[in-house]
């Protein structure tokens, strides 16, 4: 119930893309924590997925930063 309420509050305050990014980032770090703390192993294709998510989050962050700088320049 708490997770559903938190997701609803985020949807009311932020856009759905922001909520999706937050959820993906949380899951990404949960997987990495599981590997680091509990010694779980990922197969090469799973590591490829981790890299793809990391690149996607980095590009999204870079794009947001560029837009912020453009707004300040105007």
């Amino acid at each position: 119930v708490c997770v559903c309420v938190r997701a609803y509050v985020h949807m009311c305050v932020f856009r759905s893309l922001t909520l999706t990014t937050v959820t993906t980032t949380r899951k990404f770090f949960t997987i990495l924590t599981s590997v680091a703390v509990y010694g779980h192993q990922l197969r090469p294709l799973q590591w490829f997925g981790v890299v793809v998510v990391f690149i996607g989050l980095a590009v999204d962050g870079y794009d947001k930063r560029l837009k912020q700088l453009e707004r300040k320049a105007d």
Side-chain angles (χ1 to χ4, degrees):
V1 172
C2 181
V3 172
C4 293
V5 171
R6 186 175 7 162
Y8 179 75
V9 170
H10 281 293
M11 283 178 53
C12 291
V13 175
F14 303 107
R15 294 188 213 165
S16 62
L17 181 59
T18 303
L19 178 63
T20 303
T21 303
V22 168
T23 303
T24 302
T25 305
R26 183 179 52 89
K27 290 179 181 183
F28 172 75
F29 283 109
T30 300
I31 291 170
L32 292 181
T33 301
S34 173
V35 169
V37 173
Y38 299 110
H40 294 145
Q41 295 184 3
L42 297 178
R43 295 185 176 130
L45 189 56
Q46 292 169 319
W47 276 114
F48 176 74
V50 168
V51 170
V52 168
V53 169
F54 179 76
I55 291 171
L57 291 173
V59 168
D60 183 54
Y62 180 75
D63 184 51
K64 287 180 183 178
R65 181 67 180 148
L66 283 180
K67 288 180 182 177
Q68 286 177 347
L69 292 174
E70 287 175 359
R71 285 187 205 130
K72 286 182 181 180
D74 292 337

